[in-house]
Amino acid sequence: MFDSGATVAAALDAGGADLSEAQRQPNGVDLTVGAVFEQTEPGAIRRDGKRVGEREELEPEDGAYRLDPGTYVVRYGEPVRIPDERIGFVLPRSTLLRNSCTLDTAVWDAGYEGVGEGRLDVGHAIEIEPGARIAQLVLATADHDGTYDGEYQGERL
Ligand SMILES: O=c1ccn([C@H]2C[C@H](O)[C@@H](COP(=O)(O)OP(=O)(O)OP(=O)(O)O)O2)c(=O)[nH]1
């Protein structure tokens, strides 16, 4: 069972997000673009750990990120808080898909709090304004064992 948009908005409001009316959707909450990065150094996934590679933050030009085809990292503009008994999924706005671009996202664990990131895949040049809505967070009821306690907990709060 998925929560209504109002319930998702209440969870984000409780976590300190400052949501506009436009972000409140029937089935979830739209997330905006907080920052865009280009990775410059390799990261690592090891059996006993991980490292996120170095990246450079892009600067908007004339008020927008003007992105050529390629792979970027997007940081969302809102702190997200996943309540207990929930799992979160972030999906791209369909307009992104209609413009040959997408987001790749992972599971948002119960108990996670922070300003998260995802992979922005640009298949055709696009301009994206900072603060523009790019994705939608939905929450579904889920059983879980414990809550998120990894190194991204509390990131950028
Ligand atoms: O697309 C996503 C998906 C999740 N998260 C946040 C919420 C999630 O709870 C946290 C950790 O995600 P995950 O467990 O997939 O990361 P990991 O690489 O396995 O790290 P850890 O070892 O800390 O679990 O990152 C994002 O920022 N972006």
Side-chain angles (χ1 to χ4, degrees):
M1 181 71 173
F2 283 81
D3 286 332
S4 70
T7 301
V8 180
L12 267 61
D13 284 339
D18 183 19
L19 303 177
S20 67
E21 278 312 306
Q23 287 177 265
R24 298 167 192 268
Q25 298 291 322
N27 294 92
V29 164
D30 282 350
L31 300 181
T32 65
V33 177
V36 179
F37 302 87
E38 237 176 335
Q39 189 163 345
T40 55
E41 296 293 336
I45 304 265
R46 302 206 173 94
R47 289 194 295 270
D48 62 353
K50 59 188 184 288
R51 185 184 72 245
V52 175
E54 294 295 317
R55 72 271 284 268
E56 274 175 10
E57 183 170 354
L58 301 187
E59 291 300 325
E61 294 166 36
D62 297 326
Y65 299 108
R66 295 170 197 282
L67 304 177
D68 289 325
T71 293
Y72 302 84
V73 176
V74 65
R75 179 175 297 163
Y76 302 109
E78 293 72 29
V80 165
R81 184 187 209 190
I82 309 298
D84 287 355
E85 292 167 27
R86 297 292 185 278
I87 184 172
F89 301 104
V90 168
L91 301 169
R93 264 185 89 180
S94 86
T95 303
L96 209 55
L97 305 176
R98 294 166 200 261
N99 279 302
S100 311
C101 300
T102 194
L103 287 170
D104 294 314
T105 67
V107 165
W108 295 67
D109 303 279
Y112 167 85
E113 281 188 84
V115 177
E117 296 181 336
R119 175 184 172 198
L120 171 60
D121 184 33
V122 173
H124 193 286
I126 190 169
E127 56 177 72
I128 300 178
E129 275 185 356
R133 292 176 294 119
I134 193 173
Q136 182 169 181
L137 170 71
V138 296
L139 293 178
T141 309
D143 291 338
H144 53 89
D145 300 314
T147 53
Y148 182 70
D149 192 23
E151 74 180 58
Y152 303 120
Q153 181 64 312
E155 58 185 340
R156 290 177 281 277
L157 289 182

